[in-house]
Amino acid sequence: GFSTLCLHSWHECRKHQLPVIGVAKKRPTHMFGRFLTKCTGGASETPQLLILGLDGAGKTTLLYRLKLGDHWEKSKESTMEKDMKKMRTKDEAGKTEDPGYHYEEISFPRQFSCGMWDVPGTDAMRRVWSCFYHAIKIHGVIFVVNTAEAEQEDRIDMARKQIHFLMNEDELRMAPFVVILNVQNQGDLKRARAKIPGTKGEEDEMYFRLALHKLHFSCLERLKVCKMNILALKGEADPAFEEITKFMKVKMCDPKGLRMNL
């Protein structure tokens, strides 16, 4: 249950010097109880999306670009990229400011509101990914792949293995999957658009290198592949992400699938 996740996370957080995301109690507080209902189902069930991917793929950037847009970019000295790099730099005691786990509630205009979980993708933390979807009812998965690592065969192979494994997990067999091929093009972010013009994920070489064409039909029908510059997202209403939320909503409401009422 959720208490198992919390206890497991406590041990992992102590090991990796990350703060605890929850505390196991026999009787959760009223606020924690409402949060638990949102995550595990019930009358007020809120979709829970899991953002996964290898370390450095752009998961946290995706979460906070959707939540904050470009409001983080106050100056050239204070950008999201620079600030996150600073927060993840260990101090003399070996600690970092970044908590590792991130959770935000986001409302997509004309689509739905949801909770989004961003979980680290290091080798150690990939081992606890399953704790999340075992304890929490996950309705959709976003897997981020860093296209800058295209020449690193071992990284692409690891991403391929993780995607194929996740799509066949019992707890995620009904969940829609979106694979985002993240093109980390810096440039002028104020003018840049997140969507990469003239390309479709299915036509990209990475689609085949990740062996997505070899997935079973039951997986392919709930899979969407997109290519975008995550760092250029302008918030939850960005047109580049709207096609993802539309896809997620259709699949989550599918009577053959999760049968959600959004």
Side-chain angles (χ1 to χ4, degrees):
F2 195 82
S3 59
T4 303
L5 167 63
C6 296
L7 290 172
H8 195 124
S9 298
W10 182 76
H11 290 299
E12 286 297 325
C13 291
R14 289 198 62 183
K15 186 190 303 181
H16 302 286
Q17 297 182 318
L18 299 174
V20 185
I21 64 169
V23 180
K25 295 181 179 181
K26 291 183 179 179
R27 293 185 179 180
T29 62
H30 181 61
M31 184 172 66
F32 189 69
R34 284 185 298 176
F35 172 73
L36 203 58
T37 301
K38 286 185 178 182
C39 296
T40 57
S44 58
E45 183 176 14
T46 299
Q48 299 297 310
L49 306 184
L50 196 56
I51 305 175
L52 301 175
L54 304 188
D55 52 303
K59 301 181 297 299
T60 307
T61 302
L62 172 63
L63 179 64
Y64 287 104
R65 275 290 167 179
L66 291 173
K67 183 70 175 180
L68 303 174
D70 57 4
H71 295 297
W72 195 317
E73 312 294 331
K74 296 179 180 178
S75 66
K76 291 183 178 179
E77 291 72 31
S78 179
T79 64
M80 181 179 287
E81 185 183 23
K82 290 180 180 179
D83 289 347
M84 289 201 314
K85 185 176 181 180
K86 180 181 178 181
M87 288 190 291
R88 288 171 176 171
T89 301
K90 293 183 179 180
D91 58 20
E92 295 179 356
K95 298 181 179 180
T96 64
E97 294 179 38
D98 182 25
Y101 300 99
H102 304 97
Y103 175 83
E104 297 289 345
E105 291 190 352
I106 298 179
S107 179
F108 295 106
R110 301 179 300 280
Q111 298 299 324
F112 57 87
S113 296
C114 67
M116 299 188 78
W117 301 80
D118 159 35
V119 187
T122 59
D123 178 60
M125 297 309 296
R126 287 197 298 270
R127 300 173 188 177
V128 301
W129 281 359
S130 60
C131 294
F132 284 82
Y133 54 80
H134 284 166
I136 301 169
K137 186 174 181 180
I138 297 297
H139 304 87
V141 177
I142 298 174
F143 195 98
V144 184
V145 178
N146 182 6
T147 58
E149 297 179 337
E151 303 302 319
Q152 300 181 40
E153 196 61 44
D154 58 330
R155 297 279 289 178
I156 300 302
D157 187 56
M158 177 56 68
R160 175 187 62 78
K161 290 178 179 177
Q162 294 297 331
I163 293 171
H164 285 246
F165 175 78
L166 290 165
M167 290 207 76
N168 287 286
E169 281 283 78
D170 287 339
E171 294 84 355
L172 302 175
R173 284 184 185 274
M174 294 290 185
F177 270 70
V178 174
V179 174
I180 295 181
L181 305 178
N182 184 20
V183 181
Q184 297 185 350
N185 181 18
Q186 305 299 317
D188 185 353
L189 293 177
K190 291 291 183 180
R191 297 182 179 180
R193 292 186 178 182
K195 189 172 183 179
I196 307 299
T199 61
K200 291 184 178 179
E202 292 84 350
E203 298 172 0
D204 195 272
E205 176 189 356
M206 196 68 74
Y207 180 87
F208 298 97
R209 292 184 61 189
L210 293 170
L212 300 181
H213 61 294
K214 294 184 178 180
L215 287 166
H216 188 270
F217 174 75
S218 62
C219 293
L220 287 174
E221 66 177 1
R222 56 189 175 91
L223 171 70
K224 183 175 182 61
V225 183
C226 300
K227 192 173 184 179
M228 70 172 64
N229 180 5
I230 288 176
L231 199 56
L233 283 168
K234 301 295 192 296
E236 69 276 5
D238 194 300
F241 205 80
E242 188 175 6
E243 59 183 79
I244 291 177
T245 54
K246 284 182 178 179
F247 169 80
M248 285 280 191
K249 184 175 182 178
V250 168
K251 294 302 177 182
M252 288 190 293
C253 295
D254 190 339
K256 296 180 180 178
L258 294 171
R259 303 178 182 179
M260 296 193 74
N261 183 20
L262 300 177

